[in-house]
């Protein structure tokens, strides 16, 4: 029998080939590649960097995600005859036929990629990926790499913020597939919210592809589809120990319902029979997994008594019900009342299982409402989040960019009317500097060939965005932030499993100082350049100014 892990990896790679073929890019990538090829520059060695300019959601950090898919995409990057036939129909007629033959032989065998490990906490302006290779090829990779990193990193970061807001105790269920931006958006959200700290997903395909634990029971439509106990079939249930004499669970439940109504002071006449029928039908189908939604009508006057009656019947037959879901109203207040009733029933009927029933809350949960849960008394064990998680309503895009920093060994720099859009030239080494308590306090960009900063040795650096400011620092520990992950057409660093990446993400967040990871008004994390890199930037800016009148000089 084939290894399930190997099968899952093969399924993901097949999915990447189908979802992210080489044509999933912008047209101008091909027109630029043609112009490079036409002028004989297509094989010039070039270096691009991928980074983002601002931390998302007004927060202090992001979680880097999407590398796994980028590597699989690069490994399978090849044009088919069908691709080229279509390209020849949309590129300008002046495009020479030989260019398409050039594309037919193109792959990533000449490309190298250095990257921050997936699941690492990262900050604005830090180069997350360095892509080196023939100019035409690395240009053609731009849009696809951005597409694979932008949303995955954004939604993973959003999930991490929800996890922080929820605290460590509660389990978090991602349930946003129906609200996601299409099937691919839904799958991507399920995958990367799990890395970001969610525990479960409602997305069955995500469970199949990525091994994420799946969860779910019933919708309100199931409850409202029933109107009478006559619709319940079968009307008996065998005991959990396998007794061959099925019990009339309807009669058993009616007896318990009368007792529950008396205990709770609920008038039996207000109980919804259809709701009770729905609960019974589901309990008979899944006696080990009974967790209904109880707010289709009234929680206190129908849903909760009906649940308790059915749950008591299941306990009587040797089963253990799971709990309930609340999906409307004041979740905190209702959860406290539900827990009170569970304890009361457990004590009154001498049923220990009622002490461990779980309460699931789902009701258009946002990061703000999640944080509010911690400020109010509540008994919610699991929170389900959909729309605000997967659509990232507070910020729709991370804004990653892919910029040229070197050609033919010569550094390149983009100038801009907006200083924040200027780029940092040259190939770089990226270091994370830690304080004596092990917290990161600065990411340092150095020229690739200059010595690494030394632990315990004072040095001067220049924070980005503060051109006239220099800062003296002494790191207690220095770590290399990026690693070689792709070379000569092959992935050179072992791919992590989803569980390993999730563990990496949670560990990386824990290293942050509380002032950098707080949800509201975090302190800005410093990203700086070395003295040598700062001197290069100053030199290029002066050179640009000196050469601005080259037309007049000639």
């Amino acid at each position: 029998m084939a290894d399930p892990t190997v099968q899952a990896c093969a399924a993901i790679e097949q999915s990447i080939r189908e979802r992210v073929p080489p044509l999933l890019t912008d047209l101008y990538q091909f027109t630029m590649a043609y112009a490079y090829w036409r002028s004989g520059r297509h094989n010039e060695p070039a270096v691009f960097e991928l980074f983002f300019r601002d931390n998302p959601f007004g927060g202090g950090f992001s979680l880097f995600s999407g590398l796994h898919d980028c590597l699989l995409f690069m490994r399978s990057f090849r044009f088919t005859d069908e691709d080229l036939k279509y390209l020849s129909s949309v590129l300008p007629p002046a495009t020479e036929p030989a260019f398409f033959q050039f594309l037919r032989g193109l792959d990533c065998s000449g490309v190298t990629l250095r990257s921050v490990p997936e699941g690492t906490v990262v900050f604005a302006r830090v180069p997350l990926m360095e892509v080196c290779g023939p100019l035409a090829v690395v240009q053609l990779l731009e849009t696809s790499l951005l597409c694979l990193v932008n949303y995955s990193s954004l939604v993973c970061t959003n999930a991490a913020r929800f996890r922080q807001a929820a605290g460590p105790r509660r389990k978090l269920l991602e349930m946003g597939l129906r609200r996601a931006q299409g099937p691919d958006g839904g799958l991507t959200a399920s995958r990367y919210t799990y890395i970001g700290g969610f525990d479960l997903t409602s997305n069955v395909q995500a469970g199949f592809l990525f091994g994420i634990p799946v969860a779910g029971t019933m919708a309100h439509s199931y409850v409202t589809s029933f109107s009478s106990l006559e619709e319940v079939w079968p009307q008996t249930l065998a005991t959990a120990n396998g007794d061959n004499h099925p019990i009339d669970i309807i009669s058993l439940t009616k007896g318990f319902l009368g007792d529950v109504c008396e205990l709770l002071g609920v008038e039996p006449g207000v109980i919804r029979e259809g709701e009770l029928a729905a609960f019974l039908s589901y309990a008979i189908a899944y006696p080990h997994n009974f967790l209904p939604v109880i707010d289709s009508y009234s929680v206190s006057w129908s849903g909760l008594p009906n649940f308790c009656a059915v749950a008591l019947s299941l306990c009587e037959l040797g089963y253990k019900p799971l709990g309930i879901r609340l999906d409307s109203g004041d979740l905190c207040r209702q959860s406290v009342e539900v827990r009170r009733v569970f304890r009361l029933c457990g004590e009154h009927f001498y049923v220990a299982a009622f002490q461990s029933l779980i309460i699931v809350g789902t009701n258009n949960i946002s990061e703000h409402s999640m944080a509010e849960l911690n400020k109010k008394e509540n008994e919610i064990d699991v929170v389900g989040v959909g729309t605000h998680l997967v659509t990232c309503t507070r910020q729709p895009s991370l804004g990653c960019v892919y910029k040229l920093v070197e050609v033919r060994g010569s550094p390149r720099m983009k100038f801009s009317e907006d200083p924040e859009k200027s780029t940092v030239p040259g190939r770089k080494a990226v270091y994370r500097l830690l304080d004596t308590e092990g917290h990161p306090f600065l990411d340092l960009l150095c020229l690739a060939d200059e010595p690494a900063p030394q632990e315990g040795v004072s040095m001067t650096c220049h924070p980005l965005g503060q051109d006239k400011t220099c800062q003296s620092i002494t790191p207690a520990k220095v770590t290399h932030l990026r690693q070689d992950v792709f070379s000569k057409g092959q992935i050179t660093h072992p791919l992590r499993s989803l569980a390993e990446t999730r563990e990496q993400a949670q560990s990386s967040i824990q290293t942050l100082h509380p002032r950098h990871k707080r949800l509201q008004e975090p302190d800005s994390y410093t990203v700086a350049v070395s003295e040598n890199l700062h001197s290069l930037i100053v030199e290029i800016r002066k050179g640009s100014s000196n050469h601005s009148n080259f037309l007049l000089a000639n």
Side-chain angles (χ1 to χ4, degrees):
M1 182 178 291
D3 184 342
T5 303
V6 174
Q7 287 183 321
C9 289
I12 293 171
E13 185 154 15
Q14 177 65 27
S15 173
I16 287 293
R17 283 196 294 268
E18 294 171 354
R19 290 163 42 234
V20 197
L23 291 187
L24 189 70
T25 188
D26 297 303
L27 181 64
Y28 79 167
Q29 307 292 8
F30 290 106
T31 58
M32 287 188 289
Y34 175 71
Y36 287 140
W37 176 84
R38 186 70 177 77
S39 62
R41 299 190 58 207
H42 53 288
N43 283 324
E44 290 181 0
V47 182
F48 282 82
E49 290 178 344
L50 187 151
F51 61 94
F52 59 93
R53 296 189 175 103
D54 297 293
N55 294 317
F57 310 113
F61 69 92
S62 182
L63 277 174
F64 174 56
S65 302
L67 174 62
H68 185 282
D69 284 358
C70 289
L71 293 171
L72 295 181
F73 162 71
M74 291 172 63
R75 185 164 70 181
S76 64
F77 183 85
R78 289 175 189 81
F79 293 96
T80 66
D81 291 334
E82 187 177 8
D83 294 337
L84 300 177
K85 182 179 180 181
Y86 174 73
L87 275 177
S88 67
S89 72
V90 295
L91 287 175
T95 307
E96 296 180 26
F99 175 65
F100 300 106
Q101 290 303 115
F102 162 71
L103 291 180
R104 189 67 179 90
L106 218 55
D107 59 24
C108 287
S109 58
V111 177
T112 60
L113 174 64
R114 304 190 75 230
S115 176
V116 172
E118 186 153 18
T120 301
V121 163
V122 290
F123 304 97
R125 302 297 300 274
V126 174
L128 310 178
M129 298 170 65
E130 178 192 78
V131 187
C132 309
L135 181 55
V137 181
V138 292
Q139 182 70 69
L140 286 169
L141 298 177
E142 175 182 5
T143 302
S144 301
L145 295 179
L146 288 171
C147 182
L148 289 168
V149 170
N150 256 312
Y151 177 65
S152 58
S153 297
L154 183 73
V155 77
C156 190
T157 306
N158 201 25
R161 292 178 62 85
F162 271 90
R163 168 48 71 194
Q164 282 186 263
R169 180 182 69 84
R170 291 188 181 88
K171 285 190 176 296
L172 297 180
L173 165 65
E174 177 274 315
M175 45 187 289
L177 178 59
R178 66 187 60 194
R179 304 290 169 79
Q181 286 91 340
D184 189 61
L187 275 173
T188 303
S190 298
R191 180 180 180 184
Y192 290 103
T193 55
Y194 182 69
I195 291 174
F198 274 60
D199 304 285
L200 308 158
T201 181
S202 66
N203 187 338
V204 179
Q205 180 70 358
F208 170 70
L209 285 176
F210 311 124
I212 304 170
V214 295
T217 55
M218 67 174 68
H220 294 98
S221 59
Y222 182 84
V223 177
T224 58
S225 74
F226 288 82
S227 59
S228 167
L229 289 173
E230 294 178 358
E231 296 170 292
V232 179
W233 189 262
Q235 299 189 343
T236 59
L237 180 64
T239 60
N241 63 13
D243 193 324
N244 292 326
H245 301 286
I247 305 299
D248 181 352
I249 191 172
I250 292 183
S251 297
L252 182 63
T253 301
K254 283 182 175 180
F256 276 125
L257 182 58
D259 294 340
V260 168
C261 286
E262 182 178 352
L263 177 66
L264 302 182
V266 174
E267 176 61 43
V270 301
I271 297 292
R272 302 298 293 248
E273 181 180 345
E275 183 179 54
L276 179 61
F279 290 1
L280 277 165
S281 179
Y282 198 90
I284 292 168
Y286 289 113
H288 291 288
N289 302 88
F290 183 54
L291 197 159
V293 59
I294 66 169
D295 65 340
S296 297
Y297 302 107
S298 168
V299 172
S300 297
W301 302 110
S302 185
L304 186 53
N306 277 333
F307 168 79
C308 290
V310 176
L312 286 166
S313 296
L314 288 174
C315 291
E316 181 77 8
L317 299 180
Y319 299 100
K320 188 176 181 180
L322 297 182
I324 59 94
R325 177 164 74 96
L326 297 167
D327 190 50
S328 61
D330 186 335
L331 299 183
C332 292
R333 179 187 59 78
Q334 290 183 107
S335 71
V336 171
E337 174 61 16
V338 168
R339 185 68 69 196
R340 183 190 72 81
V341 170
F342 285 170
R343 289 175 179 143
L344 182 62
C345 285
E347 293 169 1
H348 182 82
F349 295 102
Y350 303 101
V351 180
F354 267 61
Q355 305 303 320
S356 58
L357 292 171
I358 66 171
I359 299 173
V360 181
T362 59
N363 185 19
N364 200 32
I365 303 292
S366 65
E367 180 188 305
H368 175 73
S369 59
M370 182 79 81
E372 288 297 307
L373 287 178
N374 290 332
K375 299 178 183 179
K376 299 179 181 179
E377 181 187 6
N378 73 87
E379 292 285 343
I380 298 172
D381 303 293
V382 180
V383 181
V385 190
T387 304
H388 293 291
L389 175 66
V390 304
T391 64
C392 300
T393 47
R394 290 187 59 196
Q395 181 172 329
S397 174
L398 180 57
C400 285
V401 293
Y402 184 87
K403 298 299 180 183
L404 180 70
V405 296
E406 183 179 286
V407 176
R408 299 189 307 275
S410 177
R412 291 290 187 267
M413 180 176 179
K414 174 191 172 185
F415 298 91
S416 175
E417 296 292 333
D418 183 350
E420 291 186 356
K421 289 193 172 184
S422 297
T423 60
V424 180
R427 293 195 69 174
K428 305 173 191 69
V430 184
Y431 303 96
R432 178 154 291 172
L433 279 50
L434 282 63
D435 61 22
T436 53
E437 297 180 344
H439 297 304
F441 70 90
L442 183 143
D443 283 4
L444 183 68
L445 315 185
C446 301
L447 293 174
D449 57 359
E450 69 175 294
Q454 298 297 305
E455 297 176 359
V457 178
S458 178
M459 63 173 295
T460 301
C461 63
H462 298 259
L464 287 173
Q466 305 175 34
D467 288 347
K468 297 182 179 180
T469 301
C470 63
Q471 181 176 339
S472 179
I473 55 172
T474 304
K477 184 177 181 181
V478 178
T479 61
H480 289 264
L481 198 54
R482 298 190 306 205
Q483 54 193 205
D484 298 324
V485 294
F486 189 92
S487 179
K488 299 179 181 178
Q490 296 299 319
I491 299 169
T492 57
H493 197 276
L495 292 174
R496 285 184 173 141
S497 69
L498 197 67
E500 290 170 334
T501 305
R502 172 187 165 89
E503 183 178 350
Q504 158 74 17
Q506 302 313 306
S507 297
S508 188
I509 292 171
Q510 290 306 311
T511 65
L512 289 179
H513 193 283
R515 69 174 182 270
H516 290 134
K517 64 180 177 182
R518 62 177 176 244
L519 296 177
Q520 305 300 325
E521 299 181 351
D523 286 359
S524 296
Y525 185 87
T526 303
V527 177
V529 297
S530 67
E531 282 276 24
N532 289 347
L533 184 50
H534 181 261
S535 296
L536 175 64
I537 294 170
V538 172
E539 178 184 339
I540 290 176
R541 282 176 173 165
K542 285 182 179 179
S544 175
S545 176
N546 293 338
H547 295 142
S548 61
N549 292 322
F550 74 95
L551 287 176
L552 296 178
N554 291 321

